[in-house]
Amino acid sequence: MGIAFDEGAADALISAAEAAEEILRSEGWFLGGAIDQAMQDFKGGYAQLFIEACATRADDRGALAGVLAGLAEDVRGAKVRAREEKAREKHLTARRLRADARQQDLASLDAARQSAAMLEMAHDPRPEETPVPAPSITAVFSPRDRNRFAGGSGNGISSADPAALRGFAAQSRASSNILNNELGHVRNAWAGFAAACSWVNHGAVTFVAGCEQLLAENTADSDWIEQIAGAFESAGSGTLTETVLNSALIRYAPPGRIGLNDIGALNNAQLKAWLATPANKDRLQGLLQQPGLDPAVIATWWAGLGHTIAKDGSLEPGASQKLLIETFPGIIGNLNGITATARNEANRIRLVTEQERIKAELARTPQLLPVSQGLSITNPAWTRLQTQQKALDGITDAVRNAGGVNAVLLGFDLTNGSPKAQVSVGNPDTADNVTYAVSGMLITPQSGFNDWATNAANLQERQGRHDPRKSFAVVAWINYEPPTVPTVNSGDAAHAGADRFVADLQGFNAVRDSLGNRTPETLNVLAHSYGTTVTSNALASAHLNVASFTMLGSAGIEKDIRNTSDLHVPAGQVYATEAAGDGLADLGRFQRQDPRMESFDAKVFSSETAIIDGTEYHGTTEHNTLVHGTDNSGYGYLDKDTTALYEAALTTTGNGDRILPGARPVTPPAGFAGR
């Protein structure tokens, strides 16, 4: 049969490889002048990337030229081996034919002549029986990626002559066209060689794909430089900030190199186009969901996307912000550092989509699961969905009680642990005075949030009556997992809740700082029952710029908080009250201190029936904040027209000097092991 080796195919590959090698080695000379011309005025971060890209291109073409030269040499060696093997096979075949002919002639010869013929056969040289080993050809080449995105803060300045950049791009394209033609010959010749010379073993052969990648990188260089030139031309200037160039070139950003600043520099059209790529959408989602994000960084980034501030001080999200609200409502709606206005828009979208999700999941989730002997149990998935549905209904009611269309839904979470939420009466972005009101035991979105929103509305209305010249917002905050009756004496929920409260207040402060409207008097905290344990832990753990702290029916302050000086609240601005009719607050203080104790140093105000400025206000008759009471049914701390509400509105608006003093406890509670 003979070996499969076509010298014509081998010669074609040698010729094509050597021609392409020559073109590769001459490209440096071909591009050198255009590179020098471009670099005369090209300065800054992208100029450095251009230098690096040209150097990488030179290294890669040198490497490929070497691979092609090696390929040609290997094919020449294969030709020599193939000739040797073909000659060996030819000689071996000829000898076998001669031997067969002599063997046939022996029978017709006499003895003397047979002896002579056999002697002739013995002296006929025997060719090599062992085949010539088939050679192996290896041709490995893969170009390096070229960095075309500077990224970073974008504070640097770049300069360039767009015409010179376009000159390089044109020369680069011309060179790539020539090289593409030559490498095309190599690809075809290799395909022919592989088919016609299958006797040769193929080792690692990657140069064909490597050639394609090199051409693609070269083309990308041309596109990239033309985009840089276009950015300078659009600006009508020879200098640009790198932020602008980052915006134009963000599509070149490799994974892990793009940051929020880069995305924030995009205009709406650029951002929309960038997000149209699913990988980019995932990339931004990952950035926004990183643990430990600094809300100040988020606030600066969000403000940079652009919003409008109306004459009345209200905010209107800009086009890019609206795009992100619509794209990532679940993230934007709960992200600290985002304005309350934007979070509200996102969460209003989520109210609808979550309702649809729960409805769809309930439709395909059976209530009961079969078990043995014909019995069944309640499906945990169905129970979870029912809880989420009740929470969503409670959030909807709370939004209505907080002002309906004027309420600001700051966030809600139905799927990570127990449901959580926060809604504001008034806008925390722009109100002169903002109070975060923190609920206590058993208050959840599915049970009690609607009443807690009513409490917030009652407080905000009373604050406005105290000072009609200012605007007020009260946030009904239940953004933690509250304890139940069996766990109220544990501090676990309070510590976890404190961490969440710190994060939310840091986010609030970051937003107000970004808007330039935060003052030392802006932020106040009010808490009820176990909420006072949560908030005191939070205030003791961080400087949160809180102007006042007011406690209603406290379930106790942890013993390691010595007194008000540990709370990072201005001296004299910590207040506490407890009604005589509150029979539950002290049950939470078995191992905690009563903030009304003299040693704690809070100012104590009254929650009892009182006449203030000629008007009688109701006394609180129980532990709850809201009873919707009449004269016959009792009142909670934050029911309308109660002394406690009136006084709390004073303490949270900088008018604590006007409070009615309340009674302090005579002795610490039984079991308290404090100082």
Side-chain angles (χ1 to χ4, degrees):
M1 293 287 295
I3 62 172
F5 190 91
D6 185 324
E7 286 201 8
D11 289 338
L13 179 56
I14 293 169
S15 176
E18 290 179 336
E21 178 198 355
E22 183 178 352
I23 292 297
L24 283 164
R25 297 196 185 282
S26 66
E27 189 188 52
W29 171 85
F30 189 80
L31 290 178
I35 293 173
D36 292 342
Q37 189 70 23
M39 286 307 303
Q40 284 186 10
D41 297 297
F42 200 7
K43 302 293 185 294
Y46 280 91
Q48 183 60 38
L49 292 181
F50 175 66
I51 293 172
E52 293 171 2
C54 290
T56 299
R57 180 170 180 168
D59 289 346
D60 284 345
R61 66 173 174 257
L64 179 57
V67 168
L68 292 178
L71 176 64
E73 191 61 31
D74 286 348
V75 173
R76 282 196 181 91
K79 280 179 61 179
V80 172
R81 291 274 192 95
R83 286 175 178 174
E84 292 175 352
E85 175 60 13
K86 287 182 177 180
R88 185 194 69 81
E89 289 184 342
K90 181 179 179 182
H91 293 158
L92 186 60
T93 299
R95 186 181 186 282
R96 286 173 179 167
L97 290 175
R98 290 195 300 274
D100 289 345
R102 291 189 186 105
Q103 192 67 36
Q104 290 176 2
D105 291 342
L106 283 177
S108 60
L109 298 176
D110 58 27
R113 297 174 71 180
Q114 284 183 352
S115 177
M118 292 179 66
L119 182 63
E120 182 182 350
M121 289 176 61
H123 287 86
D124 191 355
R126 185 179 185 85
E128 176 62 50
E129 293 280 354
T130 304
V132 174
S136 293
I137 289 182
T138 298
V140 177
F141 171 71
S142 179
R144 290 174 292 165
D145 293 333
R146 301 171 199 173
N147 184 12
R148 302 184 180 91
F149 184 73
S153 64
N155 294 327
I157 300 295
S158 287
S159 60
D161 176 1
L165 297 184
R166 290 196 181 279
F168 166 80
Q171 194 80 338
S172 175
R173 290 191 190 281
S175 177
S176 291
N177 287 338
I178 295 170
L179 184 57
N180 182 50
N181 184 60
E182 293 301 325
L183 292 179
H185 293 159
V186 176
R187 288 191 297 269
N188 293 336
W190 170 256
F193 176 81
C197 302
S198 58
W199 174 67
V200 176
N201 296 319
H202 296 171
V205 178
T206 63
F207 81 95
V208 175
C211 290
E212 299 287 352
Q213 293 167 13
L214 179 65
L215 290 168
E217 286 291 324
N218 293 350
T219 299
D221 271 350
S222 302
D223 294 342
W224 175 59
I225 288 298
E226 285 180 337
Q227 287 188 37
I228 294 175
F232 281 102
E233 290 165 349
S234 297
S237 169
T239 61
L240 281 176
T241 65
E242 288 180 8
T243 298
V244 173
L245 287 175
N246 288 346
S247 300
L249 303 168
I250 195 170
R251 73 184 182 90
Y252 292 107
R257 281 293 311 282
I258 188 169
L260 290 176
N261 286 336
D262 301 316
I263 298 169
L266 301 175
N267 62 36
N268 183 57
Q270 291 171 329
L271 180 60
K272 187 173 184 179
W274 187 77
L275 286 174
T277 301
N280 292 337
K281 185 177 176 181
D282 292 342
R283 187 178 301 177
L284 178 52
Q285 180 171 329
L287 285 173
L288 295 177
Q289 290 182 316
Q290 295 177 87
L293 274 179
D294 184 350
V297 171
I298 295 295
T300 300
W301 167 72
W302 187 255
L305 292 172
H307 47 235
T308 301
I309 303 178
K311 291 182 178 179
D312 64 357
S314 62
L315 296 179
E316 175 63 29
S320 293
Q321 291 178 338
K322 283 184 175 292
L323 176 61
L324 294 181
I325 288 169
E326 294 167 358
T327 305
F328 304 107
I331 297 174
I332 299 300
N334 286 291
L335 185 58
N336 281 316
I338 303 293
T339 60
T341 305
R343 290 172 67 168
N344 178 60
E345 286 200 18
N347 289 317
R348 297 286 183 149
I349 294 172
R350 293 179 59 228
L351 277 178
V352 176
T353 57
E354 284 291 83
Q355 194 73 263
E356 293 171 348
R357 175 188 67 82
I358 292 170
K359 182 179 179 180
E361 290 190 25
L362 277 172
R364 59 176 178 266
T365 303
Q367 180 177 353
L368 300 175
L369 294 177
V371 292
S372 61
Q373 298 178 348
L375 301 176
S376 60
I377 60 171
T378 301
N379 185 350
W382 181 88
T383 300
R384 183 179 65 254
L385 288 168
Q386 286 292 315
T387 299
Q388 293 175 6
Q389 181 64 68
K390 290 176 182 178
L392 197 59
D393 292 342
I395 292 168
T396 302
D397 290 343
V399 168
R400 182 184 63 249
N401 292 351
V405 295
N406 296 318
V408 178
L409 185 54
L410 283 172
F412 67 92
D413 183 0
L414 305 182
T415 57
N416 296 303
S418 67
K420 307 170 191 69
Q422 48 184 319
V423 66
S424 179
V425 183
N427 194 323
D429 288 338
T430 55
D432 298 317
N433 177 292
V434 178
T435 301
Y436 270 71
V438 179
S439 61
M441 181 179 69
L442 299 177
I443 304 299
T444 64
Q446 58 271 29
S447 177
F449 188 33
N450 55 341
D451 278 353
W452 195 245
T454 299
N455 289 331
N458 290 348
L459 180 60
Q460 192 243 22
E461 187 270 341
R462 176 53 69 176
Q463 289 173 329
R465 289 168 67 178
H466 282 328
D467 194 345
R469 297 167 300 175
K470 292 183 178 180
S471 58
F472 297 89
V474 179
V475 178
W477 193 90
I478 60 167
N479 196 29
Y480 78 110
E481 298 186 21
T484 59
V485 173
T487 61
V488 72
N489 282 302
S490 168
D492 293 345
H495 286 295
D499 291 341
R500 298 179 69 88
F501 192 61
V502 167
D504 284 351
L505 290 199
Q506 288 174 336
F508 168 83
N509 285 326
V511 168
R512 294 295 294 241
D513 283 337
S514 74
L515 297 173
N517 62 358
R518 185 175 68 79
T519 71
E521 296 80 31
T522 300
L523 178 60
N524 301 271
V525 172
L526 174 142
H528 171 248
S529 189
Y530 195 84
T532 67
T533 314
V534 173
T535 49
S536 58
N537 284 348
L539 295 175
S541 69
H543 290 269
L544 298 171
N545 304 298
V546 170
S548 72
F549 177 35
T550 302
M551 293 173 276
L552 311 175
S554 175
I557 310 302
E558 300 293 354
K559 290 179 290 184
D560 56 358
I561 301 174
R562 297 168 301 171
N563 51 46
T564 60
S565 65
D566 287 343
L567 297 176
H568 305 118
V569 176
Q573 295 302 311
V574 177
Y575 304 90
T577 189
E578 185 175 314
D582 184 341
L584 294 178
D586 62 345
L587 296 180
R589 298 197 294 259
F590 182 71
Q591 290 293 328
R592 303 186 189 108
Q593 57 187 313
D594 187 335
R596 298 175 300 150
M597 291 167 53
E598 190 80 38
S599 59
F600 193 73
D601 198 30
K603 291 183 177 179
V604 179
F605 61 90
S606 175
S607 294
E608 310 307 325
T609 301
I611 295 176
I612 305 173
D613 295 332
T615 301
E616 182 176 356
Y617 291 86
H618 303 295
T620 298
T621 59
E622 57 183 83
H623 183 64
N624 291 327
T625 53
L626 194 65
V627 180
H628 302 289
T630 66
D631 290 340
N632 298 322
S633 60
Y635 298 90
Y637 284 100
L638 296 176
D639 266 313
K640 287 186 175 182
D641 300 324
T642 58
T643 302
L645 177 66
Y646 187 99
E647 301 293 286
L650 291 175
T651 63
T652 55
T653 57
N655 295 296
D657 56 334
R658 295 164 49 190
I659 60 172
L660 293 175
R664 293 186 183 276
V666 177
T667 59
F672 175 67
R675 292 166 303 284

